């Protein structure tokens, strides 16, 4: 049961961040300021109410699963998680809330785009780290073949 919860929560969190990331890029490239404001609002509500529990469930279930596992892949996943969590709590969530407020006020100035650039960089970083964790999880479960890595 823990494996299923972990798998679903991990994929949901990763897909949610990917959706936020791609939506931001597409609306900035092709949308109006009103569309940007709408997307920023959706990222905060309901987006964060989907993302935060998914990340918490992924982290908690991963922690529970890792108690019975050892090895390089488990260690690598454990090392990434604090950075993913800190990046989300200290950068991504505050940026999303601030950008939503500014966009709803029509404040699309240099500061908006600076904060959005930070948000996109942090989002890309978390997507990369979460994807690496998913890859290593698939290796641990034998669902992804490894060439040189030893699964423990």
């Amino acid at each position: 049961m823990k494996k299923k919860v972990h798998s679903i929560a991990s994929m949901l969190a990763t897909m949610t961040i990917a959706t936020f990331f791609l939506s931001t890029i597409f609306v900035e490239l092709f949308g109006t300021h009103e569309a940007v404001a709408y997307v920023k609002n959706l990222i905060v509500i309901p987006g964060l109410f989907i993302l935060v529990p998914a990340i918490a469930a992924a982290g908690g279930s991963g922690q529970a699963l890792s108690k019975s596992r050892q090895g390089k892949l488990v260690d690598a996943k454990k090392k990434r998680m604090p950075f993913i969590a800190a990046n989300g709590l200290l950068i991504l969530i505050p940026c999303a809330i601030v950008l939503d407020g500014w966009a709803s006020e029509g404040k699309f100035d240099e500061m908006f785009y600076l904060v959005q650039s930070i948000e996109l960089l942090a989002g890309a970083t978390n997507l990369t780290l979460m994807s690496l964790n998913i890859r290593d999880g698939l290796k641990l479960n034998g669902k992804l073949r490894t060439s040189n890595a030893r699964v423990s």
Side-chain angles (χ1 to χ4, degrees):
M1 181 65 166
K2 285 184 228 176
K3 283 184 182 181
K4 273 205 188 288
V5 168
H6 185 65
S7 178
I8 292 168
S10 299
M11 291 305 291
L12 179 60
T14 304
M15 295 308 297
T16 302
I17 291 176
T19 300
F20 293 173
F21 186 85
L22 292 173
S23 298
T24 295
I25 290 173
F26 285 128
V27 78
E28 280 295 342
L29 291 174
F30 306 112
T32 63
H33 282 163
E34 291 80 17
V36 171
Y38 184 68
V39 167
K40 292 298 176 190
N41 186 255
L42 287 175
I43 287 172
V44 173
I45 299 172
L48 292 180
F49 291 97
I50 296 167
L51 178 62
V52 172
I55 287 180
S61 59
Q63 191 72 12
L65 287 169
S66 71
K67 289 180 182 178
S68 64
R69 307 280 308 250
Q70 292 180 345
K72 290 180 182 181
L73 294 175
V74 173
D75 291 343
K77 287 176 64 118
K78 283 182 177 182
K79 286 179 185 175
R80 289 184 200 115
M81 282 313 300
F83 189 79
I84 292 168
N87 195 18
L89 290 172
L90 301 175
I91 298 173
L92 290 173
I93 291 173
C95 284
I97 293 168
V98 166
L99 290 170
D100 176 37
W102 288 345
S104 68
E105 294 169 6
K107 184 181 174 189
F108 296 99
D109 58 5
E110 297 84 15
M111 192 58 112
F112 178 89
Y113 291 105
L114 174 66
V115 172
Q116 184 160 270
S117 297
I118 293 167
E119 179 188 49
L120 288 170
L121 181 61
T125 300
N126 265 16
L127 276 174
T128 300
L129 295 173
M130 293 168 80
S131 296
L132 291 171
N133 274 4
I134 289 170
R135 180 203 63 195
D136 289 348
L138 291 171
K139 286 180 182 179
L140 283 166
N141 288 326
K143 294 181 181 177
L144 186 65
R145 289 192 170 247
T146 60
S147 55
N148 295 333
R150 184 173 164 244
V151 178
S152 322

